[in-house]
Amino acid sequence: MKRSKKKHNHQCGSDLAAVVGLRDWYRSKAGRRLLEQEKAELDETLANLFGYHLLQVGVITEDSLLASSLIPDCMVLQRDAGSVKLDGNLSKKVIGGLPDALPIASDSLDVVLMPHVLEFSRNPHQVLREVDRVLIPEGHVVITGFNPWSPWVLWRLALGWRQQAPWCGRFLSLSRIKDWLSLLGFDIISTQHVFYRPPVNHDGIMDKLAFLETLGERFWPVLGASYTLVAKKRVFTFTPIKPRWRPRRRFISDGVVEPQNREKIL
C-alpha cells in the first residue's frame, strides 16, 4: 500500500518560515515600494468600514496597517506573538494564535483584515471558514494577495524553488477566492489591483519605470502585482429561530478572546 504524501500549498518550508521570510522581503526596497501602495489602498478601504471590533490576522510589517480605521477596538494576531514590535498602541493588543484556529469567540468581530495570509497557509479554506465563524452578520473581511497573473510570475518561476518568500507562496487568483467566499455566504463588495512595476531592488530603475503605474491602471488594471478584496458576510433569515427558554451557556474555552461591550446593531 502506497503512503500518501501530504499536499502542501506552498514551498516555503514551515508556515512560520514563510511568515518570517515575507516580513524580511517587505523590508527590501521592492517590498517597501509595494507596501506604500498597499497601505494607501488599505487606508481608503478601512476608513469606510465601521463597527466595534477589528482583527488583523498576521503581520507583514512593523508599520501599522490600521492607521485609518475608526474602529475603537483593534487587535493583531501573530503566530509568534511578541516577535514583531508594532507601532503605537497596537503593540499592547497583540494575541498569539493560528489563522486556521482563531482564538476568538464566534460572531464577535466587525472587520477581519488578512494581509497576504491565504497564499502562505497550508489550509486556506479553513482560514476562510474561521473568518466566517468570527464575523458578525454583515461583517467585512479585507484580503490582500499576490496576483498570479501579473508579470511578477517571471520572478516567481525563477525564484520560487529557492523557498524564498514571497515567490515560494501559492499565489491565489481573485476568481478562486471569490468562489470560496461565495460558497461561505459572502458578497464581494470591491476589488482593486496595485503596483505595475517589476520587483527590482534598485531605486533608480524603480523611479524610471514609474510611468508603468499610470499605464497599468489605465490599460491593464488586472495585471497589478497585488490586489485588495473586500467582502461582506450575508445575513441569512430563511430559517426561523426557535426561542431559547434556558439561559444560554458560554462555549468559550480558556484563552479565547471575547470582545466586550458590544452594543446592539440595528
Side-chain angles (χ1 to χ4, degrees):
M1 180 176 181
K2 295 184 179 180
R3 180 179 298 178
S4 61
K5 295 182 179 180
K6 184 177 180 181
K7 182 180 179 180
H8 298 311
N9 288 333
H10 59 70
Q11 291 79 41
C12 302
S14 68
D15 289 357
L16 179 57
V19 171
V20 173
L22 185 62
R23 291 174 188 162
D24 290 340
W25 182 81
Y26 266 102
R27 296 186 183 102
S28 69
K29 292 182 179 179
R32 298 298 300 180
R33 295 270 188 161
L34 174 63
L35 183 62
E36 289 177 2
Q37 294 194 22
E38 289 183 327
K39 285 182 65 177
E41 183 62 31
L42 288 176
D43 284 345
E44 183 177 350
T45 298
L46 295 177
N48 293 296
L49 299 179
F50 305 99
Y52 300 95
H53 308 290
L54 180 153
L55 176 68
Q56 175 183 324
V57 179
V59 177
I60 61 174
T61 174
E62 293 84 355
D63 300 333
S64 174
L65 300 178
L66 307 176
S68 68
S69 176
L70 301 177
I71 295 177
D73 182 26
C74 295
M75 300 176 291
V76 176
L77 180 137
Q78 289 193 68
R79 178 183 299 273
D80 47 341
S83 66
V84 177
K85 186 177 181 181
L86 301 174
D87 291 343
N89 294 328
L90 279 181
S91 60
K92 302 177 182 178
K93 297 183 178 181
V94 176
I95 59 177
L98 301 176
D100 56 1
L102 297 176
I104 303 291
S106 300
D107 303 315
S108 61
L109 299 178
D110 300 277
V111 178
V112 174
L113 168 63
M114 294 200 300
H116 298 287
V117 173
L118 296 179
E119 57 258 66
F120 299 98
S121 170
R122 297 189 186 276
N123 194 345
H125 307 83
Q126 176 60 25
V127 173
L128 290 177
R129 284 192 289 266
E130 279 292 278
V131 171
D132 176 52
R133 179 183 65 80
V134 300
L135 277 176
I136 65 169
E138 295 192 348
H140 291 81
V141 59
V142 181
I143 298 171
T144 65
F146 292 111
N147 181 11
W149 308 121
S150 78
W152 281 26
V153 68
L154 300 176
W155 277 261
R156 186 170 176 236
L157 291 174
L159 300 175
W161 63 273
R162 296 184 182 179
Q163 297 187 349
Q164 294 180 353
W167 318 114
C168 56
R170 182 193 181 196
F171 292 7
L172 300 169
S173 67
L174 266 177
S175 60
R176 176 169 296 184
I177 295 179
K178 287 179 180 179
D179 289 342
W180 290 348
L181 289 171
S182 178
L183 290 173
L184 288 171
F186 282 81
D187 292 320
I188 307 302
I189 303 302
S190 65
T191 59
Q192 181 66 42
H193 290 80
V194 298
F195 209 82
Y196 298 89
R197 283 172 281 182
V200 294
N201 288 308
H202 191 286
D203 288 333
I205 295 177
M206 277 288 195
D207 292 339
K208 290 181 180 179
L209 296 177
F211 70 94
L212 292 177
E213 299 296 333
T214 301
L215 292 178
E217 292 176 1
R218 183 173 181 180
F219 295 109
W220 54 82
V222 296
L223 297 183
S226 174
Y227 57 76
T228 300
L229 178 149
V230 182
K232 182 169 67 173
K233 182 177 177 180
R234 295 191 197 116
V235 180
F236 292 98
T237 58
F238 303 108
T239 304
I241 301 175
K242 296 181 180 180
R244 299 176 64 95
W245 300 110
R246 295 180 181 180
R248 175 174 293 182
R249 296 175 57 192
R250 293 180 59 176
F251 292 92
I252 303 174
S253 59
D254 294 338
V256 172
V257 178
E258 181 181 19
Q260 301 296 319
N261 301 324
R262 171 170 292 284
E263 297 182 17
K264 186 177 181 182
I265 301 178
L266 300 179

